Amino acid sequence: MKVIILAGGGGTRLFPLSRSCFPKQFLRIEGRHSLLGQTVLRFLALVAASDIVIVTNKDYYHHVQAELADCGAEGVHILLEPVGRNTAPAIALAARYCLDELMVSEDETLVITPSDTIMRSEEQFGETVRDALELAADGKIVTFGVKPVKPETSFGYIQIGQPYKKGYAVELFREKPDYVTAEKYLASGNYYWNAGMFAVKIGCVLKELECYQPDIFNLVDTNLADTIANFEAMPNISFDYAVAEKSKKVVVIPLRAYWNDIGSWDAIYEVMDKDSVGNALMGDCMTLDCKNNLMLGRSRLIAGVGLEDLLVVETDDVILVAKKGESQKVKDLVGELKKRGRREADEHTTMYRPWGSYTVLGEGPGYKMKKIAVSPGQQLSLQLHYQRSEHWVVIGGTAKVTIGENEQMVNKNESVFIPVSTKHRLENPGRVPLEIIEVQNGDYLGEDDIVRFEDIYGRA
């Protein structure tokens, strides 16, 4: 068994916490590990780290590395998609990787899972996976279904047919229904929520792709290098649409564990602890005559008076307020922000880089202020800017600074100036984090005004 964890999505439904620069799979919703970290740990109870492949994109590579280090999962493979092309191409690429790099046969079973769900009852989850492997051994595409507990409109549904061993034949996949239809599905008793998980032999995946998606199959029926080189030509299509909804080999197995795809702020409210009047509070929150609200604060006090059935989520640059039951529309809100060219749609004020992070403290015409944190032993690229000068003030740790041909150590409370069009580099040679305040001045202060000459992270 090889586990394929799909972690390339840039989800927007948990905006403003989740943004394209730092999507849902890296959030810490429950417990100390991110959703991706929890997914990895869930499968480490079943397989070795070397049997896990995380499929992601280059923008998230260092985030994935950090999460693997955080959960002690050295040895997990990271497979980078050249471009985002949805789950069908990602699964095809992962199958090719397992054949060529992990040297498995087409009889190897892949267990494919998203990276951004919450599950509980780990023992029951393991039992479900083992049962799914038995069905996959029959040449079936096994999808995991969750027994509905309410008329949910944000999930796809699976209509079950005749029993098949410990599962059921699949009659139909159903799109996300309206509320009335969801009530009918719940009342009928023969529908499951689609958990987006599969167990299937590599050979079965390839045969079904050849039958139903030859444009994908022809690009993976070569070798890994050619598949990567031609990946951009693949259609942007999910595995459900491409194969599962067409194949005659699909069966569903009930997932015997608590499952929540955390697909909305309403779903977050469900999993959080609540006070005696139904308020789910996180951060510095104060309520008076409030009930059944979600309040999530990060950087300031949230005070509510007389509120009921509201979702309030605060970050240092966005405050989201929505009615409970309406949080599926957050995705539409993000789409509107993108149309208007708003930075908030994609970026946080704190942005993570392989060397550390930076936080925008303030900006205006001709200036921008940042707090830059460089991890021990890390360094920024050797670079220059054509449009701006920079002034660095060390507020913690010790910096090794290169400006032109000169190299110097800069200690706490000391500063340096970098003129326009001058090569420079910032390094942290110490054992504690380096923190500096950077003041930029210039007519253009965009992040794309960087010319890199040397970079240990391969970005030059």
Side-chain angles (χ1 to χ4, degrees):
M1 175 174 98
K2 302 299 179 189
V3 177
I4 309 300
I5 300 176
L6 304 178
T12 57
R13 291 180 293 173
L14 292 186
F15 175 85
L17 284 191
S18 173
R19 308 187 197 184
S20 59
C21 71
F22 196 78
K24 182 175 71 167
Q25 57 264 34
F26 303 116
L27 297 180
R28 283 160 172 74
I29 302 296
E30 183 180 70
R32 64 172 294 267
H33 296 291
S34 69
L35 295 176
L36 172 60
Q38 291 180 25
T39 304
V40 171
L41 291 171
R42 191 177 304 133
F43 281 98
L44 283 178
L46 304 175
V47 298
S50 58
D51 291 322
I52 299 176
V53 179
I54 297 178
V55 184
T56 188
N57 65 59
K58 60 182 178 61
D59 293 333
Y60 304 149
Y61 176 71
H62 295 288
H63 290 318
V64 172
Q65 281 190 317
E67 296 303 329
L68 292 177
D70 183 61
C71 59
E74 293 79 8
V76 169
H77 305 270
I78 303 176
L79 174 59
L80 299 181
E81 298 174 286
V83 293
R85 283 294 182 268
N86 217 315
T87 55
I91 291 170
L93 176 63
R96 186 78 260 166
Y97 181 86
C98 289
L99 291 172
D100 290 9
E101 291 295 312
L102 305 188
M103 305 300 291
V104 301
S105 74
E106 292 190 3
D107 282 334
E108 188 80 17
T109 298
L110 305 181
V111 175
I112 302 157
T113 178
S115 58
D116 54 3
T117 59
I118 285 179
M119 288 194 198
R120 298 171 186 155
S121 305
E122 302 291 322
E123 184 175 337
Q124 289 180 309
F125 172 74
E127 292 174 357
T128 304
V129 171
R130 285 186 282 270
D131 290 343
L133 293 177
E134 291 183 19
L135 301 186
D138 293 343
K140 299 293 186 180
I141 298 175
V142 187
T143 186
F144 292 61
V146 178
K147 191 68 176 176
V149 294
K150 62 179 180 177
E152 179 61 60
T153 61
S154 61
F155 303 148
Y157 283 71
I158 302 169
Q159 183 180 0
I160 64 172
Q162 293 299 314
Y164 181 86
K165 294 186 175 180
K166 295 181 181 179
Y168 301 90
V170 171
E171 289 289 327
L172 286 171
F173 285 83
R174 300 287 188 176
E175 295 293 326
K176 297 175 183 177
D178 58 30
Y179 189 82
V180 173
T181 304
E183 284 186 313
K184 293 178 180 177
Y185 289 170
L186 181 65
S188 75
N190 64 334
Y191 285 85
Y192 282 76
W193 289 332
N194 185 353
M197 294 179 61
F198 299 92
V200 58
K201 286 186 177 183
I202 293 176
C204 182
V205 168
L206 296 178
K207 287 178 181 177
E208 297 303 274
L209 285 172
E210 183 179 17
C211 182
Y212 299 109
Q213 292 294 326
D215 48 349
I216 295 178
F217 174 78
N218 291 335
L219 294 175
V220 298
D221 190 32
T222 53
N223 55 64
L224 181 62
D226 287 346
T227 300
I228 292 173
N230 296 312
F231 193 80
E232 191 170 357
M234 290 198 184
N236 188 342
I237 187 170
S238 72
F239 189 74
D240 286 52
Y241 286 137
V243 174
E245 294 186 6
K246 300 178 176 65
S247 175
K248 308 302 181 185
K249 300 180 179 180
V250 184
V251 296
V252 61
I253 191 162
L255 178 58
R256 298 191 300 276
Y258 173 85
W259 172 89
N260 192 319
D261 88 328
I262 311 298
S264 68
W265 286 112
D266 287 292
I268 295 287
Y269 175 80
E270 288 183 13
V271 301
M272 288 181 61
D273 293 332
K274 302 168 186 66
D275 64 18
S276 59
V277 289
N279 293 310
L281 309 175
M282 182 181 295
D284 192 4
C285 300
M286 181 180 297
T287 62
L288 181 64
D289 296 328
C290 296
K291 61 181 180 180
N292 300 327
N293 301 290
L294 167 68
M295 293 185 178
L296 195 157
R298 287 298 181 95
S299 58
R300 71 201 82 190
L301 169 67
I302 297 180
V305 179
L307 304 179
E308 183 175 354
D309 293 329
L310 287 183
L311 308 167
V312 182
V313 183
E314 176 265 344
T315 65
D316 55 2
D317 62 339
V318 175
I319 299 175
L320 172 72
V321 182
K323 290 182 180 179
K324 284 174 64 181
E326 298 288 326
S327 64
Q328 288 296 327
K329 296 179 181 178
V330 169
K331 184 176 182 179
D332 299 329
L333 171 66
V334 175
E336 185 62 30
L337 290 173
K338 288 180 180 289
K339 288 180 183 178
R340 299 185 184 189
R342 294 293 300 249
R343 171 198 60 79
E344 295 90 343
D346 299 302
E347 299 180 359
H348 287 282
T349 54
T350 296
M351 297 289 288
Y352 294 92
R353 295 292 184 261
W355 43 261
S357 66
Y358 70 81
T359 301
V360 177
L361 302 177
E363 58 185 309
Y367 80 92
K368 182 183 288 185
M369 295 176 57
K370 292 180 178 179
K371 181 180 179 181
I372 296 177
V374 185
S375 302
Q378 304 302 309
Q379 61 179 247
L380 282 67
S381 59
L382 180 65
Q383 59 186 252
L384 64 76
H385 313 291
Y386 286 120
Q387 306 295 327
R388 69 176 185 253
S389 63
E390 295 175 339
H391 189 180
W392 293 343
V393 181
V394 177
I395 60 173
T398 299
K400 181 179 179 181
V401 176
T402 300
I403 303 175
E405 300 299 323
N406 298 318
E407 192 176 275
Q408 65 186 96
M409 304 300 291
V410 184
N411 300 306
K412 187 175 180 180
N413 296 327
E414 297 178 346
S415 64
V416 293
F417 176 73
I418 299 96
V420 173
S421 299
T422 302
K423 287 184 181 180
H424 59 280
R425 192 203 309 265
L426 178 66
E427 303 179 50
N428 181 0
R431 297 183 178 180
V432 298
L434 165 65
E435 294 185 331
I436 72 167
I437 299 298
E438 176 181 271
V439 181
Q440 304 175 358
N441 292 102
D443 295 329
Y444 179 75
L445 304 173
E447 291 301 318
D448 55 348
D449 180 25
I450 298 177
V451 180
R452 292 187 174 94
F453 298 92
E454 299 174 7
D455 184 63
I456 62 174
Y457 310 108
R459 300 171 299 166

